[in-house]
Amino acid sequence: MNIQIYGKKKCFDTKKAERYFKERRIKYQYIDLEKYGMSLGEYRNIKAAVGGMEELIDKNCKAYEDCFIAYLASREAIEEKLLENQTLFKTPIVRNGKKATVGYCPEVWKEWE
């Protein structure tokens, strides 16, 4: 397994995901979205794995309203804004090769073991 956890320092679900893998002694790589972000290629792979861009957007975060995402006309404009301001992602995003999950999903991660 090659686990990557994309998250934010202050996100409780990200901390729970890290704890899940630590308790099972599964090595993972943590990537801080606020500090390092996600590349365009990684974004495309994760978007394909989770079923689309809508699954990745956190509509409850403050940045969602600040960036006026709901009022953008095209999908391209929304994706551009999403990659520009990566605090808009729901976290944690846990990736295992071509598979990925958004949020705390231990039932799916158990299948990966």
Side-chain angles (χ1 to χ4, degrees):
M1 281 195 322
N2 186 17
I3 303 293
Q4 292 178 315
I5 300 174
Y6 294 89
K8 302 173 200 163
K9 287 180 186 176
K10 295 182 180 181
C11 174
F12 291 112
D13 283 343
T14 299
K15 291 176 184 177
K16 284 171 40 179
E18 286 187 89
R19 190 176 328 116
Y20 176 88
F21 290 106
K22 278 182 187 174
E23 288 173 353
R24 287 155 183 77
R25 294 188 176 99
I26 298 171
K27 291 184 180 181
Y28 64 89
Q29 177 186 12
Y30 173 75
I31 296 119
D32 188 354
L33 281 174
E34 295 170 334
K35 189 173 181 182
Y36 300 107
M38 183 185 301
S39 73
L40 181 61
E42 290 169 328
Y43 166 73
R44 286 182 180 152
N45 288 337
I46 291 170
K47 181 177 79 168
V50 299
M53 171 185 63
E54 293 78 22
E55 301 295 321
L56 294 169
I57 299 174
D58 184 2
K59 295 181 179 172
N60 297 324
C61 73
K62 187 176 186 286
Y64 183 78
E65 292 177 13
D66 293 345
C67 294
F68 304 106
I69 296 291
Y71 305 106
L72 294 175
S74 68
R75 294 179 60 80
E76 291 80 20
I78 294 171
E79 283 187 328
E80 184 179 317
K81 190 63 87 170
L82 188 60
L83 288 169
E84 196 176 284
N85 187 354
Q86 297 199 2
T87 58
L88 291 165
F89 284 116
K90 275 186 202 170
T91 53
I93 300 169
V94 180
R95 182 176 170 199
N96 180 19
K98 296 282 183 190
K99 301 173 192 165
T101 61
V102 178
Y104 184 71
C105 305
E107 60 282 348
V108 176
W109 304 334
K110 189 172 189 135
E111 293 173 14
W112 293 351
E113 294 177 26

